[in-house]
Every structure is written in C-alpha cells, then in structure tokens.
Amino acid sequence: MIIILEPDLDNQKTTVQAIRAVAQRYPGVTVKPYEFKGTTHRFTEVHLIGSTAAVPTGPFEGLPGIRQVVRVSAKYRLIGRHDPAHETAGFEHNGVRIDESTVHLFAGLCAVDTPAHVDEMMAALAREGIVTTRMGAYKPRSSPYDFQGLGKDCLPWVFESAGKHGIRLIAMETTDASHLDELWEALDRAGHPTAVMVQVGTRNAQNYELLKQIGRQHEFPVLFKRGMGITLEESLNACEYIASEGNPRIVFCLRGVKSLLGEPHRNLVDFAHVPVVRRQTRLPVCIDPSHSVGTRLCAPDGLPDIFHAVGQGVIAGACAVLVDFHPHPEVALCDGGQALTLDMLGPLVEYIRRVRAAYLESVAAMEGLDFTALASA
Ligand code: PEP
Ligand code: MN
C-alpha cells in the first residue's frame, strides 16, 4: 500500500509520524517513507510493506496531509508513477540536473581509444556549451576477439580532459561491480574534475547481481539501457531492482530491440515506448539512436537516419539523448559506422532544439483536451 502525501507539505514529518502511529495497529507492516524531487515540487510517499492485504485504507485517508492511498502490486513500487499528477523524479549530479525541464545530449565516443580523440571530442562539446558526454572504457563485445575497451587505464586522461573542457557528467558503462571502485578511485585520484553516471548495458539488463551492486552504491546515478531481447516490463523490473537496493537516481534509456524486422537498421527502433515509460514510471527517459539505428546513412531529405530517430524520441518527450560521435570514425575501434562526425554536432544540437520546441508547442496547443473523454464520446 502506498500513501501519497500532498506535494510540498510543510508539516510532512508530523504526517509521516501519524501514519506510523496508525500502521502500528497492524502487525507485520513496515513503514518506509520516500521522497522524490520533481522539477518544481517535492513529493513524499509512505510505503507500507508486508502483509497489507487486510489493512484498510480508511484510517490513513482520514489523516491530514494525505492526497491519496493506493494499493499497488509489488510491481514498480519505487519507480512507478502511482499518481499521474506526479512529475518525473529527476536528480542532480555534479551540478547537472536531469529531469524533464530540458533535453540533455550525451554525445561522445562509443569506446575510448586515444587521448587525442577524447580531447577533440571534449573540446567540440565545450564549443557547443555541452557539459555531458558518453565515453566507453569497459566495452561488452559480441566477439571476444573485438576491442574490449581500455578499462581503468584510460580513466586518468579521460577525467583530466573532461575537467579541462568543463564536462561535468560522463555516461560510462560498467560491466562488473569492481568497475565501480575503479571509477571512484580514479575520480578521487584526479580530484573529481568531472563525474560519472554508470551505464548498465543492454546485455546486462538482467544481470541481477550487477543491478544490486549498482543499487547499493550512492556515488553514481545510473543510465539503464533497456534489454534488447526482453519485454519492457522485464527491463522496468530491472530498474526496480536498482531502486529497491537504495539508488533511485535512474535514467531509463530506450536503445532499440533485437529483431530482423528492424533491418536494415541494427535494431528495431522502439521510441514509441517513450510515452509508455513516462506513464508507467517516474524515470527520466533517454533515447539512444546510435545503437538502435546503427548507421550514419542519410534519408533522401538529407538528414541522417540517426537524426530522424532522435526526432522521434524527442517529439515523444524524451529528455536525454545518448549518441555515438567520433572525430575520425574511420579509425574508431568500436561502432565507427554509426558514429557521427564532429561537424555534425552543431547541426544535431540545433535539430534537437527545434524538435523540442515543436514538442512543447504541440503539447501546449492540446492542453485542456481530455482525450479519454473524447475517445468515449
Ligand atoms: C553502448 O552504449 O556503448 C552500448 C554498448 O550500448 P548497448 O548496451 O545499448 O548495446
Ligand atoms: Mn557502441
């Protein structure tokens, strides 16, 4: 059972105490308050855990400061949007606020290769005023003979370059819990010139031990990539694992699903799920057009398929975009064929700005229309 408090409640502690007092009447019930910060409001929920089937909702509904009491199945207890009016639960990390108020672009190298390439990338981002990037140090590859990433050896110069160019947040995949310590040690040694959001890759979407370890640490927020061969529900449950271990700072990233029906793209683009994830959860939603589309080829209108996929995600309300770039894709050690070049960065920023404006305008134009009512009329 979840008791939803009125947003921004002044005497929130008193309300939580009152809930505890009532809950004490029912043996086997534990009380756990959770706080979520949206873009403009603070939300509190009190979860009653244990044998709540026989616990009535009335005594809680009667307390002051209560907005709603809902019975939920165990599913998405923590990441779920139990109140449609609640905002997406964003978070701030190293001065970067991830929520639905803006679209962040995490453009960078799929796999870190040389200090010069990393520096060229970071410098290009800085010129565009971008403070977020992606940099793969630990690469999960389909073949054991492919480049596996430079691992912890590259972290000192990646972090130094980020610091030099004012990059505040790097999305970086971890494929093993030991990488969390390596990342933290390297950041510490460098004096924290930047920060990391750890990526759970699509291949690890159901690696429950890794998910639990990532959920137990508080240093890094998480960019969780949808499992490419599992249902959306299974991927969302994986995020619930992370949250239930104590780390609610999760961004959910759609990256396409494995299907021959997506050909000639690398995966079947699944950005129609952006509104679904936004409806079912409070997680900020990211899209990865590079790993879903998998090619730099252009449409007859001149725009790369990757731009079109970005547009599909952003017009559906995604608030983060993860894209592979490389200063010299022809020598990239991983995914060069889908990497955009640095002269495409400015146009991509402009394209996202335009599509985002179109999204906000279209939503505003429809405000006040009750589609549910229209559909049943
Ligand atoms: C990546 O982003 O570098 C990556 C390997 O993506 P995915 O896990 O979605 O394949
Ligand atoms: Mn890649």
Side-chain angles (χ1 to χ4, degrees):
M1 185 183 293
I2 295 182
I3 302 160
I4 302 170
L5 275 58
E6 292 293 353
D8 306 316
L9 204 60
D10 285 335
N11 50 353
Q12 170 204 342
K13 274 205 177 117
T14 323
T15 308
V16 174
Q17 271 164 8
I19 293 170
R20 282 190 195 282
V22 175
Q24 266 175 9
R25 295 183 209 154
Y26 309 100
V29 172
T30 320
V31 175
K32 265 197 158 179
Y34 290 96
E35 206 175 287
F36 306 93
K37 281 201 184 73
T39 310
T40 49
H41 298 287
R42 181 171 48 83
F43 304 95
T44 306
E45 288 179 359
V46 179
H47 293 207
L48 300 193
I49 297 159
S51 37
T52 56
V55 177
T57 56
F60 298 101
E61 282 159 350
L63 295 172
I66 304 300
R67 180 179 160 92
Q68 205 188 349
V69 181
V70 284
R71 289 195 183 276
V72 288
S73 60
K75 197 166 106 172
Y76 314 157
R77 176 183 278 276
L78 291 171
I79 64 163
R81 191 184 287 259
H82 305 300
D83 183 339
H86 276 188
E87 291 167 352
T88 292
F91 57 84
E92 191 173 316
H93 195 60
N94 198 30
V96 181
R97 171 108 199 132
I98 309 274
D99 61 22
E100 292 196 331
S101 60
T102 186
V103 178
H104 286 285
L105 176 60
F106 290 83
L109 306 188
C110 177
V112 170
D113 45 19
T114 70
H117 291 159
V118 167
D119 214 60
E120 268 183 82
M121 184 71 230
M122 303 276 195
L125 292 167
R127 281 195 295 276
E128 294 296 332
I130 298 172
V131 297
T132 44
T133 188
R134 57 155 297 145
M135 290 282 156
Y138 308 95
K139 295 307 300 175
R141 303 304 300 279
S142 302
S143 164
Y145 309 115
D146 286 342
F147 176 60
Q148 302 287 310
L150 296 176
K152 68 175 187 305
D153 293 346
C154 69
L155 300 179
W157 41 270
V158 170
F159 294 158
E160 189 196 324
S161 174
K164 184 169 107 192
H165 295 290
I167 304 297
R168 306 191 67 85
L169 191 55
I170 306 177
M172 190 179 273
E173 179 162 357
T174 48
T175 54
D176 188 90
S178 63
H179 300 157
L180 297 167
D181 293 335
E182 292 180 2
L183 285 172
W184 193 251
E185 276 163 30
L187 278 170
D188 244 2
R189 231 175 284 128
H192 295 270
T194 185
V196 168
M197 171 158 69
V198 294
Q199 229 171 279
V200 175
T202 195
R203 293 162 186 80
N204 278 310
Q206 285 185 309
N207 180 344
Y208 296 112
E209 291 314 311
L210 182 63
L211 297 175
K212 284 190 222 166
Q213 294 292 335
I214 285 178
R216 278 178 205 143
Q217 56 79 38
H218 297 279
E219 280 86 14
F220 308 108
V222 185
L223 181 79
F224 176 91
K225 299 190 84 175
R226 182 214 182 128
M228 61 180 150
I230 58 177
T231 63
L232 184 63
E233 182 175 334
E234 286 164 332
S235 286
L236 293 176
N237 266 321
C239 291
E240 187 72 19
Y241 256 96
I242 298 171
S244 68
E245 292 291 336
N247 189 356
R249 297 188 301 160
I250 307 167
V251 176
F252 188 85
C253 183
L254 294 165
R255 48 82 68 212
V257 290
K258 192 124 227 122
S259 161
L260 293 180
L261 302 180
E263 284 183 358
H265 286 163
R266 181 172 173 179
N267 285 283
L268 186 63
V269 181
D270 56 348
F271 300 165
H273 276 164
V274 171
V276 179
V277 180
R278 294 178 72 204
R279 179 170 62 249
Q280 295 191 352
T281 80
R282 278 186 281 235
L283 305 180
V285 182
C286 179
I287 47 153
D288 174 348
S290 304
H291 290 85
S292 40
V293 168
T295 167
R296 211 170 27 244
L297 289 177
C298 295
D301 56 22
L303 299 188
D305 289 16
I306 287 178
F307 274 47
H308 282 290
V310 168
Q312 288 156 24
V314 172
I315 202 78
C319 65
V321 180
L322 185 77
V323 192
D324 284 1
F325 268 80
H326 198 287
H328 310 283
E330 65 288 355
V331 296
L333 298 177
C334 180
D335 287 350
Q338 69 191 27
L340 301 180
T341 53
L342 297 190
D343 49 9
M344 291 167 145
L345 184 60
L348 180 62
V349 171
E350 173 64 7
Y351 181 74
I352 292 175
R353 195 189 61 72
R354 285 171 182 270
V355 180
R356 173 70 174 178
Y359 166 70
L360 294 174
E361 260 173 48
S362 329
V363 170
M366 306 280 157
E367 209 180 320
L369 284 182
D370 183 346
F371 281 99
T372 319
L374 289 176
S376 60

